[in-house]
Amino acid sequence: MTVDDRFAGDADERFTDRTSHGRRNEPTIGPVTDWATDFDHLDDAWAADPYEIQDDLRQRCPVAHTDRFGGGWLPTRYEDVAAVAYDSDRFSSRSVVMSNFRSDVALAPAGGTPPITSDPPFHHGARKLLLPAFTRTAIAALEPATRAYCHELLDGLGGSSEIDAAVDYAQHIPMRAISDMLGFPPEDGPEFAGFVASVLEGINLPLTERLEGIGALFHYLSAQIDDHLAHPREDLTSYLIDAELDGEKLDAFHVAGTMGLLLVAGIDTTWSAIGASLWHLAGHPGDRERLVAEPALLPTAVEELLRAYAPVTMARLVREDMTWGGVEMKGEDWLLLSFPAANRDPAQFERADEVVIDREVNRHAAFGLGIHRCLGSHLARMELRVALEVWLERHPTFSLADPDAVTWSHGQVRGPRRLPLKIG
Amino acid sequence: MKVHVDPARCQGHGRCYDLAPQFFASDDEGYGSERNGGVIPDGQEHEAQVAAMNCPEMAIDVEQ
Ligand code: HEM
Ligand code: SF4
């Protein structure tokens, strides 16, 4: 075998070096004065209940502003969120986590983690490579293993009268699924939680700390790439190492960036969706009893839970100074793209603020809109449906053990991180 | 009734072939398309209509 010189030398140092260049701002800490002019998606009030804030903004200031994070905007109407998602000419995906760090312009158009950080025309090819592995048919093949694993998790908890559904159940399901697809050892799961936290939740940490976390992720990915070069197998990592775009192999940054994306995007999103759904059912016995009695309603209910508790908010960077939606945006301003806010716009959904468990028409945007539509949506839907199905079968009766003990993540992915449930 | 998936708008959310697999199919990349030339038999309009109304991209045209 010839040595693959794309990955020669100290690869993980090169990855870390590349991701650490960019524009930094000093963090602005302190309570929000007015959500319309000083919003902060890392504020405790936003983590506890963003919907009240978003509903208020939608009525009085549909495109809110903040000077924090070096400047940014927050539209809350469905129509505006959709318009931004469809407009990659004026809004770039180069950085998608609104923080005090904007990635280096030199990384465009691929960005650090293709395809989520890629803009057209590069985006299309980088995404197309991945589509076949994530179709509904490809994902259906993973369903039996996912179901068995959900049972195994609950078996392991025995006859406990209290289970933390976020810590002991929800988080493990997507970790196992994506690490199997990438071909990583299943026992590495606990390490992934740390990577996810540093990328998505460490937003207001001192930058050096956040970059250390990202460095650890790339170090791990480098080791996996080396292992796959030495022992190629049938998984997404070997597939990416061999894949070609326009007749050429992907560069090392593309391979590692995409692996990192799949790992991070695959885990705490779905963990959040499973947790938020169980949290809802724990507090709404009527909905819970109906799903226990009518399991066939579950796929419909899953869509409604995704609408109402959409876990993922994205971000864009404004390309150039412009007037948009009646406001003056500057180049490199952030735009916080709240699919959760869009999903609760009464102009788009009847009874937008209620969970209507059998909602028949549900054109929600939890998985985004336009060219970046969630690549993992079929996987996420399968995991969420199976996780709820198994839970309801094994524990049809449950409630919140202590509502005050529930904690929610901060940042752009929202879900319960502690969820103690009383069983029976 | 006839349905048609507009490939320019479809992003492969798969709501159509999830909800009404008898009328819609997925290709190897997850993009949707209509089966049987998009012809919906009499009496089954509701299911096709619901699938079309659940497409987040509004990519499905319905002709009465
Ligand atoms: C309930 C769970 C999930 C939700 C709510 C969710 C949501 C989203 C959203 C809103 C986007 C659009 C990003 C944008 O517009 O910039 C997205 C993109 C993406 N998601 Fe998910 N996601 C979930 C689970 C997953 C899973 C399990 C994977 C699997 C690996 C995944 C992989 C991706 C990737 C790779 C992209 C980028 C696609 C592109 O840029 O073309 N997601 N996701
Ligand atoms: S629901 Fe819409 S976007 Fe999704 S596959 Fe069908 S036509 Fe395409």
Side-chain angles (χ1 to χ4, degrees), chain A residues 6 110 114 118 121-130 240 242-251 254 258:
Chain A
R6 286 177 295 162
S118 313
F122 183 88
H123 170 265
H124 180 73
R127 176 179 169 92
K128 193 175 163 69
L129 282 177
L130 299 167
L240 284 168
D242 292 337
E244 291 185 4
L245 248 182
D246 302 326
E248 282 188 49
K249 293 264 175 96
L250 308 180
D251 69 40
H254 189 151
T258 296

Side-chain angles (χ1 to χ4, degrees), chain A residues 85 93 96 113-118 123 127 130 134 174 178 181 236 258 261-274 306 309-316 337 339 365-369 371-377 379-381 383-384:
Chain A
S93 285
V96 288
T113 54
I116 208 163
T117 54
S118 313
H123 170 265
R127 176 179 169 92
L130 299 167
F134 286 91
I178 197 66
M181 288 180 78
L236 276 174
T258 296
L261 167 63
L262 294 176
L263 192 63
V264 171
I267 295 178
D268 80 336
T269 50
T270 314
W271 164 10
S272 297
I274 297 170
L306 281 166
Y309 304 109
V312 178
T313 296
M314 292 306 298
R316 297 287 189 264
L337 192 56
F339 295 113
F367 290 111
L369 291 167
I371 61 169
H372 291 279
R373 184 273 300 169
C374 178
L375 176 81
S377 65
L379 173 60
R381 284 186 160 111
E383 292 178 315
L384 181 53

Side-chain angles (χ1 to χ4, degrees), chain A residues 78 86 124 127-128 131-132 135-137 303 348 360-364 367-371 373 377-378 381, chain B residues 9 11-15 17-19 21 26-31 46 49-50 52-58:
Chain A
Y78 177 93
Y86 288 128
H124 180 73
R127 176 179 169 92
K128 193 175 163 69
L131 287 170
T135 59
R136 198 179 63 141
T137 316
E303 296 306 317
Q348 183 73 9
E360 193 178 35
V361 172
N362 200 346
R363 203 175 256 155
H364 69 77
F367 290 111
L369 291 167
I371 61 169
R373 184 273 300 169
S377 65
H378 299 281
R381 284 186 160 111
Chain B
R9 281 177 281 158
Q11 298 290 350
H13 288 259
R15 299 298 298 130
Y17 52 77
D18 248 356
L19 287 164
S26 161
D27 70 9
D28 301 347
E29 295 183 335
Y31 294 102
H46 180 71
Q49 194 69 260
V50 167
M53 288 198 300
N54 274 288
C55 172
E57 309 287 346
M58 300 206 250

Side-chain angles (χ1 to χ4, degrees), chain A residues 298-341:
Chain A
L298 205 52
T300 305
V302 158
E303 296 306 317
E304 177 65 348
L305 293 164
L306 281 166
R307 181 192 69 81
Y309 304 109
V312 178
T313 296
M314 292 306 298
R316 297 287 189 264
L317 288 172
V318 174
R319 278 192 208 262
E320 286 171 9
D321 296 3
M322 64 172 170
T323 308
W324 189 95
V327 300
E328 297 297 321
M329 298 185 171
K330 295 251 170 295
E332 294 289 293
D333 275 355
W334 290 107
L335 188 132
L336 191 62
L337 192 56
S338 176
F339 295 113

Side-chain angles (χ1 to χ4, degrees), chain A residues 89-110:
Chain A
D89 286 341
R90 291 191 288 177
F91 298 95
S92 167
S93 285
R94 194 183 88 233
S95 281
V96 288
V97 180
M98 182 169 170
S99 66
N100 290 298
F101 179 70
R102 289 162 172 79
S103 69
D104 199 346
V105 186
L107 298 187

